[in-house]
Each structure stands twice: as C-alpha cells, then as structure tokens.
Amino acid sequence: MKRLMMMTALLMAVTVKAQGPMILGDNHAMLRVKQGTKYLLLPVQEKEENANIAVLDIRNEMVQRLNVRLAVDKVDYFVPFEIRNGQLLDITFHADKRTTGAMKDFVCWKEMKYSDTFDTTNRERFRPRYHHTPLYGWMNDPNGMFYKDGVWHLYYQYNPYGSQWENMSWGHSTSRDLIHWDAQPLAIESDWLGAIFSGSAIVDKDHTTGFGRNAVVAMYTSAGAAQTQSIAYSTDGGQTFTKYAGNPVITFNAPDFRDPKVFWHEPTSKWMVVLAVGQEVQFYSSKNLKEWKYESSFGREYGNHDGVWECPDMLCFGEKWVLLLNINPGGPFGGSATQYFVGRFDGHTFTCEDNPSETKWMDYGKDHYATVTFHNAPEGRIVALPWMSNWQYANQVPTQQFRSANGLPRDLGIKTIGSETILTCIPSKEVMALRGKKVKQPTEACEIVIDMKSSTDIVLSNAKGEQVTMHYDVQKQEFKMDRTKSGDVSFSEAFPCETAAPTFGSIKQLRLFIDRCSIEAFDAEGKMVMTNLVFPSEPYNTIKVKGGKTTIYQLDK
C-alpha cells in the first residue's frame, strides 16, 4: 500500500495541469510558465489557425517566436515546449470570436499540462517500419548531411510544435548503417535573422575555416524579412552548433535565394556553394566559408521552369558533373520533383551538355523531393536521401503524430546510353542487410524481386479490394504505377494518379520496396526509379505477376 501511494505521488508530480492564462483582450493572453518540470505540453488542433507565441524571459524580453495551432474545441495531439527559467508566453490568437466563442473558454487552457516526460510511443499505423521519420512533428527537406567517424548525420527541416509546416529549424538524427536512426536534440533553432531553412554541412579536415580541424560547418538559409545565407560550426561532431558572429555571409536581393549546398573543388582548392535563386542557380567560391565571391549563374534556358528551383546539389563523377535541382511545382505528374543536368564544371562555370529543352527527372514517382547527398561519404560513394512526399498534399496525408518520411538511401552513378548520359540510382548496399526470410506473400515491410523477360503486369492488393497496379511495356520501354485504388486517396484530389517512367532500355530485374505507406520501384541496374506513397486500410498481402518470376523477402529492421 505504501509503495502504491509513493507511485501515485510520483505520477502526480510528473504530469500536472497548467494554471489558466491572464486574459488581456479578445485574442490576447499571457501564461506564466511554472518552473520545476521539463515540459509544458501544448494541445494542438490542426484545423485551427496558428496562434502566435512570443516567449519572454524573466526580464520580459522576447527570446523566441513560435506559431502553434492551439486547440480551440478539440485536442488532436500534444507537443512539448521545453521549460527554461522564468518564461512568460505572450499568445495572440487569430480565431474569429463569432465562430469559435470566447477565448477564455478555449480547450487549450483546460488541457495544458506540465510533465517531466513526453510520450513518443508510435500511435500511427502508417509510420514506416524501415524508413527514417521524426519521433513527432513535421519534417520536410533533408539538410546538412555528412558522414564522420562511422556515423551518418541527417539533419532535416523540422517543426517540433506541430505536424504541419511551421517554425523551421534543423532536427537531427544519426545512424551507423543508414537504416536504424537515433533521434538527437534539436540542432539549430531560429534567431532574429529568421527561420532556419535548408542547407548543407561539411567536415573541415584541413582547418580552412578557423573553427578547428575536423570542425563541422553548416551553411543554411536564414529566412526572415529577406533570405540570406549563414553559417554555424560544431566542435563536438555535429551535436551542438555555434552560430558565426559575422552572419549573414552571403546576401542577394531576390525573394527566393536559398538552400546552399557546399562542396570542395579540388582543382582550384576552394570551397564552392551552389544556391537556388528563383529559376536559376548561382555559384560562389571561398577559401574559408566566410568571405564569398560570385562566380556564375546557370539555368535560365535549361530544363523545367514551371515552379521555383530549390535544394540544388553538385555531384562529381570524374570529368562529368551532375547538377541536381529540385522544383516545386512542375513535376512530371504535378507538384514537386527532382530534375538534373549533366555537364562540366571548372570551378567557375557549369556547362551543360544536355539539350536546353530537355528535362531529366531523377525519379518518376509523385513522392520524391528535396534530394541531396551526404558530404564525406566513405569509399568514394555518392549517397542521396530524398524527402518522401509532395507539396500538393504533404500537410494533409493521414498521419498526425508525425508527418513525412525519407525515402530509401540510394547510391548514385552515371551511365551512358547511346549519346546520352543519365543519372543512375540503386538502393544503398546497407538496405540489403534488411533482408530476412523468404515469404510466399507480401507483408507490410518487404522487398519483392521480379525477374522479367518480357512485358509484365503486377497487381499488389489486400482483402479490402485496394490495389496498386504496375505495368512494364518492353516495346515502349516504359514502366507505370497506378495508385488510384490504393486505399485512402480522399485527402487530396492530387493524390490518386498513375505515374509513368522511361526505362532507358530493358528492365531485367525489378526491385519493389514495400513499407506501410510507400512503394519504391527500382530497376536493378539503376536506370529507372519511382517513389509513391500509398495508404491502404490494411497491408497488401497478395501479389499477382504475369510475365515475371517473383521472390519476396521480409524486411526486418
């Protein structure tokens, strides 16, 4: 009995209801944050407008700004606000009093709680089994990826205060095998220059920046009144960062000026950065990542210009270079996608060998975007990681505890077919380690290998009648995937669709990677890849293949 009383007292200390706010007006309130616990749990209701929260310190000076969809009449989930000394939350709502009622009656005041813990136990049936996801909150572009001392570091655009885009900062995860990921503390938070948008990171092996040998230096977009480029450095292997006092380091008068990707150009012994600027890219050079010289621009007459160019990357394959360029909208089937250009780069100018009117797509699915590569990958590999979603519906997909996953890691190469050079993508070798026992039918996490000698029809289905159909046409050299009947497609008119890809010759073996909410199709030689989300009401457990031999491996994380 005494032990039960002690346990009850402990639980009461861990989770305590918050006291009510000070009401200052129809849409304005203040909340004094109680000390003594780690978190204030904020109730979120996704359909509501953002409430603007100014975080004040003990001197009533603002130290942080947040936008949170605080619950008005229903709680969808909670997000943790980490408590620091003497905080006061100044909260402004934008709700219409005539339809939402009086602010003092909002459910958020009744449901706010203090707690020493935050429960991240998975409550989502669509959370992938073997793809990276944030523990909670919103994730989009992968950022700042590098490899050091046996560890892969993945940073990403992150909103820790809700599962829709907002409050952009850099989340952080680490892995030793590109498959099993450990969540790390928030890496870089917004400041008075703005939110922390996408960027990259390098390992400064030769102490070129003055921050220390093997310091990790991140370069990112500060998105405030203008978009400018800033740097931060880490001397503990990328766990914590110190922002450079001289920020911003690159400025340019353009509304869309962002997503710096830093790379080393060996022939000129300089750091280079490629930046997206509206519908072109700009190249800058530097000896120390602090002072930058403009070199050139590329892109005005090349490729697809139906949307804003974002998240560029430069990949070196000997004499040839590949410029990755993400675009939104403008993808081959609507929304966001990744195009690329093949050419040469001399440290000053990128010269494209492709026809200006030609658009080369890296992935022909609907859900492959913001693809960038890891710096300093071992064995000379070029390893890429995409964001697995599409801006047409990324905020509406049927999850709430978290939103968005990364696609499988993929090793990149080039291949010449006739007179054309294409970018190849194959699942990284670490994915092979997931293979478990062979099974007769698909499971919610599996790899399906299909050896094909002719045109092939594939139907993946479940007992509810939900299905994904695929067709390979050997004569047309084309692969198609239809998800119009794949499960829940109701959340967006843009979601149900059929996607099609050129195969650049024959497909001898097709590898399908099935996870709870995704299908990734790879030509085993890397000439074709297609990434599509699916949301079946129960896992697909039947496959019918006409024209190929099938082997199914259960994938065990």
Side-chain angles (χ1 to χ4, degrees), residues 7-34:
M7 289 177 65
T8 303
L10 178 61
L11 287 171
M12 291 175 63
V14 169
T15 303
V16 180
K17 272 198 169 183
Q19 295 297 313
M22 296 178 283
I23 304 297
L24 305 181
D26 285 348
N27 290 305
H28 188 197
M30 298 187 91
L31 182 72
R32 180 71 64 184
V33 178
K34 179 182 176 181

Side-chain angles (χ1 to χ4, degrees), residues 441-442 448 450 456-462 465-472 479-482 485-486 510 512 514 519 540-547 550 552:
Q441 297 295 343
I448 303 173
I450 304 173
T456 306
D457 290 302
I458 305 163
V459 180
L460 191 65
S461 63
N462 61 22
E466 298 163 344
Q467 64 180 27
V468 177
T469 60
M470 290 162 265
H471 176 69
Y472 166 56
F479 177 82
K480 292 183 177 181
M481 186 185 301
D482 185 339
K485 300 177 181 178
S486 58
L510 183 71
L512 297 175
I514 315 298
I519 300 175
Y540 306 121
N541 58 5
T542 301
I543 187 168
K544 295 180 180 179
V545 177
K546 181 180 179 181
T550 304
I552 305 174

Side-chain angles (χ1 to χ4, degrees), residues 382-439:
I382 299 179
V383 181
L385 204 64
W387 175 48
M388 195 162 61
S389 198
N390 189 305
W391 278 116
Q392 288 183 323
Y393 43 75
N395 283 286
Q396 287 81 43
V397 296
T399 64
Q400 282 194 334
Q401 181 188 30
F402 80 102
R403 274 203 178 87
S404 298
N406 290 108
L408 281 178
R410 43 201 81 185
D411 280 34
L412 308 183
I414 56 173
K415 187 179 185 71
T416 300
I417 299 176
S419 60
E420 186 172 16
T421 300
I422 66 168
L423 184 68
T424 61
C425 304
I426 60 173
S428 296
K429 63 181 182 180
E430 288 82 357
V431 177
M432 289 294 292
L434 283 171
R435 278 188 178 178
K437 64 181 180 181
K438 292 182 182 180
V439 293

Side-chain angles (χ1 to χ4, degrees), residues 62 177 246 397 405:
M62 186 164 57
D177 62 2
V397 296

